[in-house]
């Protein structure tokens, strides 16, 4: 039987991998992917809490799962805007390295 602790452990591991990717990588695309991994780890924990929280009738509370759909929608918009910025920076500077793109002036 899978418990709430198992889901939270996987979520914490995914969040730690994403956090390490943001902190130690220097490529903008990899940083965006690591941010998405952190966001999905938070979504996993919300789903787990929603699944294991039971109301008075013995049914799971699905409010957090509805909230996750909104988070996924915002994440899709974030990726679209982030990739557009990365493409614009690559066209202007011909690099996606953080050290070379330290200023957002063209």
């Amino acid at each position: 039987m899978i418990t709430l602790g198992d889901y939270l452990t996987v979520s914490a591991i995914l969040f730690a991998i994403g956090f390490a990717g943001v902190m130690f990588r220097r490529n903008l695309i990899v940083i965006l992917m690591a941010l998405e991994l952190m966001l999905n780890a938070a979504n996993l924990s919300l789903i787990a809490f929603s699944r294991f929280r039971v109301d008075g009738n013995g049914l799971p509370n699905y409010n957090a799962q509805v909230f996750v759909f909104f988070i996924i929608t915002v994440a899709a918009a974030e990726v679209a805007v982030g990739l557009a910025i990365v493409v614009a920076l690559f066209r202007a500077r011909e690099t996606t390295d953080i050290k070379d793109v330290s200023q957002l002036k063209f």
Side-chain angles (χ1 to χ4, degrees):
M1 187 75 183
I2 298 177
T3 65
L4 178 62
D6 296 333
Y7 283 111
L8 294 179
T9 302
V10 171
S11 176
I13 291 169
L14 287 175
F15 193 86
I17 291 170
F19 185 72
V22 168
M23 296 306 291
F24 298 125
R25 297 304 228 159
R26 295 294 168 220
N27 190 341
L28 284 173
I29 296 173
V30 175
I31 290 173
L32 280 175
M33 289 190 313
L35 283 171
E36 289 298 318
L37 191 62
M38 292 168 61
L39 195 59
N40 285 329
N43 284 341
L44 179 62
S45 65
L46 277 173
I47 294 285
F49 281 123
S50 173
R51 172 66 180 92
F52 284 96
R53 181 174 179 211
V54 179
D55 63 0
N57 299 330
L59 298 173
N61 187 355
Y62 293 113
N63 293 337
Q65 293 184 14
V66 173
F67 188 58
V68 167
F69 285 122
F70 290 112
I71 293 173
I72 291 172
T73 304
V74 170
E78 170 201 350
V79 167
V81 170
L83 285 177
I85 291 171
V86 168
V87 168
L89 285 172
F90 183 77
R91 286 183 181 172
R93 303 271 175 103
E94 295 185 0
T95 184
T96 59
D97 193 53
I98 292 292
K99 287 189 282 187
D100 297 333
V101 188
S102 63
Q103 296 178 355
L104 290 178
K105 294 190 298 187
F106 286 102

